[in-house]
Amino acid sequence: VAAPVDVQEMTSEAALTHYVNKMAEIGARQPKWLHDVFRVGFSDWNERALGSVTRLELLERIATIRNDPKRGPGAARTSQKAIKALYSYVVGELQVEVPNPTAGMKLTRQEPRQRALDADERKAFIKAIDAPGELPHIPVFFRLLLLTGCRRNNLETAEWSEFDLAARTWTIPAHKFKTNKQKVFPLRADAVELLKKWKARKGAHPRWVFESPVIPDTHLGDTWLQWRRVATAAGFEFEGPKRTTPHDLRRSFARILLDNGVNITEVSKALGHGNVATTVAAYAPPNSKLVASELDRVSGW
């Protein structure tokens, strides 16, 4: 239950705690996301009064995040969304009268990414996750990202009750999914076999598909650092047009299907998109060879 708030002395940390508790209370997806974003981007503001953060300070902080080669425009945009959500909650829902430095602030522009791993990069990545000494969940977790095309946070928080391995389906409940709608995903046969082996292993958690190696009896936490380690071992870049992120595995899943002739409508369903246009914009860049082969199917002009 959300704790009482002293509106006169509300710190950024107190506001965040109140907001996170309230979101957890109603089953929203935000709590973990907000904690992660604020821990990385704004933790030095924890003890400051919420109303003391100026517009200039916030813009400078967002610019710092955007210009950080390890983070970039995507992280800057996410940070803006998080802090805007916090101030909107405090000012709108709690009706606390504090200056809102996020009012009217435009989000950092981010061009849609279309990066996917090619065949050689996928081989290098599989070799990296299978390297001796990696934690047992690493090869299974990242293989499943590639085999299912799911979002990283959905796999981090996946529960065995969401899977029907006999029917080859994964049902992600509404409160966990990006659109706040329940989604049922069909699973590839190789993904099902991998899940069966993982579930049958000694020490498998009865609830969580991936238990945290740090905090017992909780789900896996943010896997960004593990991604960066194995991606570095695979020789991937983290700056420039070929920089890589975990979401590139989702795009790779889609690209493999499309390059092998799977209809864009079915690929869109496999990704859980509500609109095929979303799939086309970010997951299906023009493939001139594929288009040419389709044109050649019609003869006699």
Side-chain angles (χ1 to χ4, degrees), residues 107-167:
L107 293 176
T108 296
R109 185 175 179 180
Q110 184 183 15
E111 296 296 328
R113 280 172 52 80
Q114 294 184 331
R115 173 87 163 93
L117 307 185
D118 61 29
D120 289 338
E121 289 174 323
R122 293 197 298 273
K123 288 179 182 178
F125 183 68
I126 294 299
K127 182 178 180 180
I129 63 177
D130 286 339
E134 280 294 350
L135 293 171
H137 71 275
I138 293 296
V140 181
F141 181 84
F142 286 111
R143 266 190 175 86
L144 284 172
L145 279 186
L146 186 58
L147 291 173
T148 63
C150 69
R151 293 181 176 86
R152 183 166 55 111
N153 70 298
N154 286 137
L155 193 55
E156 289 169 350
T157 62
E159 302 178 48
W160 287 117
S161 60
E162 298 168 6
F163 291 87
D164 185 337
L165 297 181

Side-chain angles (χ1 to χ4, degrees), residues 6-20:
D6 182 343
V7 297
Q8 300 301 320
E9 300 295 333
M10 183 188 291
T11 63
S12 297
E13 185 175 31
L16 178 63
T17 299
H18 193 279
Y19 184 31
V20 165

Side-chain angles (χ1 to χ4, degrees), residues 83-125:
I83 201 163
K84 280 173 73 73
L86 177 63
Y87 274 95
S88 293
Y89 173 75
V90 170
V91 175
E93 296 295 322
L94 298 184
Q95 297 186 340
V96 177
E97 295 184 2
V98 295
N100 182 358
T102 73
M105 183 174 63
K106 293 183 179 180
L107 293 176
T108 296
R109 185 175 179 180
Q110 184 183 15
E111 296 296 328
R113 280 172 52 80
Q114 294 184 331
R115 173 87 163 93
L117 307 185
D118 61 29
D120 289 338
E121 289 174 323
R122 293 197 298 273
K123 288 179 182 178
F125 183 68

